[in-house]
Amino acid sequence: MTTTKPPSVAVMKLSKAEYIELCDRFRDKAQQAHQESRGWMNRALLAESRLATLRAAYEPASTATNHEN
């Protein structure tokens, strides 16, 4: 299956209003992707914190020290 690349924005000859609309659309998509990635990052940090708490509660102190090396 062959896919063709869309034409570059530089050769599209859009009006100023069309360029502004295109920029707004890309900015909105980028902001949404950023918010989603921050959400996943926060979930990972929470999971790491909970895991550290569980390890501290269930592993003997000497074993926990050995895992850090």
Side-chain angles (χ1 to χ4, degrees), residues 49-68:
S49 173
R50 288 180 179 170
L51 183 58
T53 303
L54 288 172
R55 279 188 177 151
Y58 290 103
E59 290 183 355
S62 61
T63 307
T65 313
N66 290 338
H67 283 294
E68 292 175 1

Side-chain angles (χ1 to χ4, degrees), residues 25-60:
R25 188 177 332 143
F26 285 132
R27 184 185 60 243
D28 291 344
K29 284 183 179 181
Q31 286 175 342
Q32 180 181 3
H34 179 72
Q35 288 172 351
E36 289 173 4
S37 68
R38 299 254 333 174
W40 283 107
M41 182 188 69
N42 290 338
R43 288 183 186 127
L45 291 172
L46 180 61
E48 288 174 352
S49 173
R50 288 180 179 170
L51 183 58
T53 303
L54 288 172
R55 279 188 177 151
Y58 290 103
E59 290 183 355

